[in-house]
């Protein structure tokens, strides 16, 4: 774990050119002068899958900003099976429950290699009282989290298996159109989409046979965007 002073993060030093503190998430609307008298550090951590960022029921003292990678939010069914209720990606904020003193409602687990900033709740509280822009940004983050939860329920839990898989692959490509997307394990895919691993395997194989996806090295996929969009919208 690496400690990154706020001013260092803001100025873009120590490989923080794309730091989420600087360019996105909670502090996107603030100017450098807003950080002038703050001395509390932000910590920079790296998680390798399947490391756990936090567990359901824990009460945290920090919120998290995801700089790179994917994190899955997991709930567990009464039979012990897992359900991935959402994925978090670049610039998303995790653990907002800590700002209200509430326990985390999910396990947050690294799905790919992740670079994460941990931001103390005390720092956010202080800034939110001093800077109206941060209060507004907090509300934006809550709204975005709710919108993404609604999207997951609407797009990835309904429709045929082919539609669900196609929609997920297109969602993964949104942050870098035209670039390969990660291919997860069949169990994770099933837990995201509410499908059995067997159904996921058959669907992936069918899409591959039809030329809609092509496997690349390092568990990456290239996509036929228009073909997948036709399935997703069908």
């Amino acid at each position: 774990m690496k400690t990154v002073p706020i001013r260092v993060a803001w100025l873009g030093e120590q490989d923080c050119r794309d730091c989420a503190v600087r360019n996105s998430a909670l502090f996107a609307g603030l100017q450098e002068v807003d950080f002038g008298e703050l001395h509390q550090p932000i910590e920079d951590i790296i998680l390798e899958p399947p490391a756990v960022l936090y567990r359901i029921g824990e009460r945290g003292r920090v919120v998290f900003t995801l700089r790179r990678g994917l994190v899955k939010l997991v709930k567990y069914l009464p039979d012990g099976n897992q359900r991935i209720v959402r994925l978090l990606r670049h610039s998303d904020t995790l653990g907002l429950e800590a700002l209200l003193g509430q326990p985390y409602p999910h396990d947050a687990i690294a799905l790919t290699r992740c670079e994460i900033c941990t931001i103390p709740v005390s720092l956010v509280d202080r800034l939110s009282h001093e800077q109206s822009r941060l209060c507004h940004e907090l509300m934006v983050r809550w709204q975005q989290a709710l919108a993404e939860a609604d999207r997951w329920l609407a797009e990835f839990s309904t429709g045929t298996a082919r539609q669900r898989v196609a929609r997920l692959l297109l969602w993964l490509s949104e942050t870098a159109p035209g670039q390969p997307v990660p291919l997860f394990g069949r169990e994770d895919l099933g837990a995201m989409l509410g499908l059995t691993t067997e159904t996921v395997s058959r669907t992936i194989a069918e899409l591959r046979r039809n030329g809609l996806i092509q496997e690349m090295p390092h568990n990456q996929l290239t996509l036929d965007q228009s073909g997948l969009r036709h399935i997703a919208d069908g």
Side-chain angles (χ1 to χ4, degrees):
M1 182 178 296
K2 177 175 67 175
T3 297
V4 181
I6 290 173
R7 182 173 176 80
V8 171
W10 176 264
L11 292 176
E13 299 169 13
Q14 294 188 9
D15 195 31
C16 286
R17 179 173 55 85
D18 297 320
C19 181
V21 172
R22 186 169 176 238
N23 293 327
S24 59
L26 297 180
F27 300 145
L30 303 185
Q31 303 299 317
E32 183 176 357
V33 66
D34 298 325
F35 295 90
E37 298 182 358
L38 297 172
H39 305 290
Q40 194 163 16
I42 291 169
E43 292 183 79
D44 186 22
I45 63 174
I46 293 176
L47 293 183
E48 298 288 350
V52 176
L53 182 61
Y54 56 77
R55 291 285 190 191
I56 188 170
E58 292 179 350
R59 293 179 182 271
R61 297 182 180 179
V62 297
V63 294
F64 306 92
T65 293
L66 184 58
R67 292 174 56 193
R68 292 182 180 88
L70 291 168
V71 171
K72 60 182 179 180
L73 300 183
V74 181
K75 278 187 170 291
Y76 298 93
L77 303 177
D79 61 5
N81 288 324
Q82 68 168 340
R83 184 68 192 270
I84 298 172
V85 297
R86 193 151 48 96
L87 292 185
L88 286 300
R89 54 190 175 183
H90 169 70
S91 83
D92 281 341
T93 304
L94 300 83
L96 286 168
E97 297 81 10
L99 296 175
L100 302 177
Q102 299 296 314
Y104 297 125
H106 319 97
D107 282 0
I109 302 172
L111 194 56
T112 64
R113 187 177 191 272
C114 295
E115 297 179 18
I116 299 169
C117 290
T118 67
I119 307 171
V121 168
S122 56
L123 170 60
V124 179
D125 284 343
R126 179 177 174 183
L127 275 176
S128 64
H129 283 93
E130 297 173 356
Q131 302 292 340
S132 60
R133 284 170 292 185
L134 182 59
C135 288
H136 173 74
E137 188 62 31
L138 282 171
M139 296 301 101
V140 170
R141 294 292 144 181
W142 281 114
Q143 190 278 330
Q144 288 178 346
L146 289 172
E148 276 296 297
D150 286 347
R151 182 178 181 184
W152 273 75
L153 183 63
E155 294 190 15
F156 307 135
S157 297
T158 61
T160 67
R162 294 173 79 246
Q163 288 176 317
R164 298 185 199 189
V165 172
R167 291 167 185 165
L168 179 62
L169 293 175
L170 291 169
W171 181 88
L172 289 169
S173 72
E174 286 179 355
T175 56
Q179 298 298 312
V181 302
L183 174 61
F184 309 125
R186 303 302 193 260
E187 183 177 351
D188 275 330
L189 286 170
M192 293 174 201
L193 302 172
L195 301 170
T196 65
T197 55
E198 293 80 5
T199 299
V200 168
S201 294
R202 287 196 301 270
T203 304
I204 292 291
E206 179 187 350
L207 295 176
R208 189 190 302 113
R209 286 194 304 271
N210 293 335
L212 296 171
I213 60 175
Q214 182 177 353
E215 292 194 34
M216 306 290 288
H218 311 298
N219 292 322
Q220 299 281 305
L221 292 175
T222 58
L223 310 179
D224 177 343
Q225 295 270 341
S226 61
L228 291 173
R229 177 59 61 193
H230 179 74
I231 292 173
D233 293 342

